[in-house]
Structures are given as structure tokens and as C-alpha cells.
Amino acid sequence: EAGVVQSPRYKIIEKKQPVAFWCNPISGHNTLYWYLQNLGQGPELLIRYENEEAVDDSQLPKDRFSAERLKGVDSTLKIQPAELGDSAVYLCASSLLRTSNEQFFGPGTRLTVL
Amino acid sequence: QKEVEQDPGPLSVPEGAIVSLNCTYSNSAFQYFMWYRQYSRKGPELLMYTYSSGNKEDGRFTAQVDKSSKYISLFIRDSQPSDSATYLCAVSLNNNDMRFGAGTRLTVKP
């Protein structure tokens, strides 16, 4: 069974440029998460989806970040414009059930903003 | 105060040693306790999950929760070089809103 797929794996952009990350969760997983992981820190939740609905986006900086999950499968996270402080790893995770204690993580997209 | 505090290490031990990794948390309402392992350039993977106070064993790994002290531990027996990774503790109120510790980087030397 394929795991969570993320692309690109690495992205280098200049500040003020837009950037987008894509995530394909494990087939059949209704819940999808986007996390931000800074160097030397644990993941921090940005947004959680139940199917197409964003049920928790309280930590998403909405002035520059946006996300969508069309058709309740793939998801895209966008930053526009990117700032130097956005350099981090962006992790996508999925779980089968809303109440599942096991989240399956993708390898992440490592973003560097110059 | 952070919700979950974890000693970032790094921790270096010889092969075969017993490793002890620890976290404290601030909110006594947390009910679920997890340990994730993260290899370099990979996403975290669930290692252990516990709900109640006490011990839970899985092979060489033992997770321990002390709710009265708000303290969680992971013990690794007979550590192997393949155990070299960053170990993240996580706590949750209702099973899907995890709060992670900063992670402890472990190196097991052959």
C-alpha cells in the first residue's frame, strides 16, 4: 500500500514569491492534516480536513497561507507571498478516522526561502 | 510555558544500552500519549500509543505514563544502530489534536 505522497520534496524560492505544496493521502483516509516543522522542533498543526471540510484551521496564518482539498482526496497548501521565516518542512499526514490515534505522515516538503 | 517539554538532547549511547527518553506536559486534561520516531529526511511514524497511566510494552520498547506527575517516558532496551533517529513525544485531548514535543535526537553507536 502506498503511503502519503508529497511533492515537491524540496523547494527553494526567493522571498515574496508564491509556492504550493501537494499531498496525496493514503487511499480511503478521510482525515488529512498539514503540519509545519521547524528545525529542531516537533510538528505544529496548520490545518485539518475531514473530507472536503476544513474543521480546524485556527493555526493557519490566513493572511498568506491557504489550503484546499477538492473532492476530499488530494490537498494543496499555498503560501503567497513567502517570507524568510516560512523556511521549514511542511508535512502532510492522513488518518482513517477522525478519532484515529495513528496519523501516517508523508516525507515532507523542505522549503527554503532566500 | 510549552504544552509539552522534551529534552532535545542530543543523546549518544553505545549499542546494547538502555535508552530513556522523557517528556513532561502541562495540561492534565490530555488523555492520549504517543511516541513517534522520525528518521532524517522522513516523516514521523507512530511507535507507541498509550491511554492510561502505567506501562505498555512492544518488543524492545516500553512506554510509561504517569498522569499524576504529567510525565511520559519511552525506554528502549538493547538499543541498535537502527534506532538512531529523533524521537517525538505527543499528547492529545481527543485523539486527533496532537501536540508534539521538540524531539530528542538519539544516536546509537556500534
Side-chain angles (χ1 to χ4, degrees):
Chain A
E1 180 185 271
V4 176
V5 179
Q6 289 188 249
S7 69
R9 289 295 314 276
Y10 304 91
K11 188 74 176 179
I12 300 174
I13 61 171
E14 294 189 348
K15 63 181 180 182
K16 300 185 182 180
Q17 294 300 306
V19 65
F21 314 124
W22 176 80
C23 173
N24 178 239
I26 293 173
S27 177
H29 282 195
N30 298 321
T31 307
L32 184 145
Y33 311 77
W34 282 102
Y35 287 90
L36 165 73
Q37 186 173 26
N38 286 304
L39 187 64
Q41 299 296 316
E44 299 172 32
L45 182 68
L46 290 172
I47 189 168
R48 175 168 61 91
Y49 281 93
E50 298 291 340
N51 298 304
E52 302 90 354
E53 183 183 0
V55 296
D56 184 358
D57 63 355
S58 58
Q59 301 304 311
L60 189 72
K62 298 180 183 63
D63 57 335
R64 297 184 300 107
F65 286 66
S66 64
E68 61 182 10
R69 190 183 184 197
L70 300 176
K71 300 181 182 179
V73 182
D74 295 359
S75 178
T76 302
L77 178 69
K78 298 178 181 178
I79 308 174
Q80 182 171 9
E83 296 179 352
L84 295 176
D86 295 332
S87 296
V89 175
Y90 292 82
L91 292 163
C92 179
S94 69
S95 63
L96 183 60
L97 299 171
R98 177 179 59 84
T99 56
S100 173
N101 62 75
E102 183 165 18
Q103 296 181 19
F104 294 83
F105 284 82
T109 295
R110 184 176 296 270
L111 174 67
T112 301
V113 182
L114 303 176
Chain B
Q1 183 186 13
K2 289 185 178 180
E3 290 183 298
V4 185
E5 298 276 2
Q6 183 175 7
D7 185 344
L11 185 61
S12 181
V13 301
E15 183 175 354
I18 297 175
V19 176
S20 173
L21 304 168
N22 308 294
C23 288
T24 59
Y25 59 95
S26 57
N27 188 347
S28 57
F30 288 126
Q31 299 186 66
Y32 302 90
F33 309 93
M34 283 72 65
W35 283 96
Y36 278 77
R37 178 175 61 195
Q38 186 173 24
Y39 290 112
S40 181
R41 308 286 179 173
K42 303 286 187 182
E45 56 178 336
L46 183 66
L47 201 57
M48 299 283 287
Y49 157 75
T50 58
Y51 173 76
S52 57
S53 281
N55 294 350
K56 181 177 181 180
E57 258 188 56
D58 184 1
R60 297 183 294 109
F61 298 89
T62 299
Q64 188 174 80
V65 175
D66 182 347
K67 286 188 175 182
S68 63
S69 302
K70 292 182 279 192
Y71 195 84
I72 58 176
S73 301
L74 178 71
F75 299 96
I76 306 174
R77 293 185 300 279
D78 188 25
S79 56
Q80 303 295 308
S82 59
D83 295 328
S84 298
T86 295
Y87 290 80
L88 298 153
C89 63
V91 299
S92 171
L93 286 170
N94 59 9
N95 233 356
N96 60 16
D97 63 339
M98 288 194 295
R99 324 296 171 85
F100 285 88
T104 300
R105 181 182 293 181
L106 171 67
T107 301
V108 180
K109 295 184 176 181

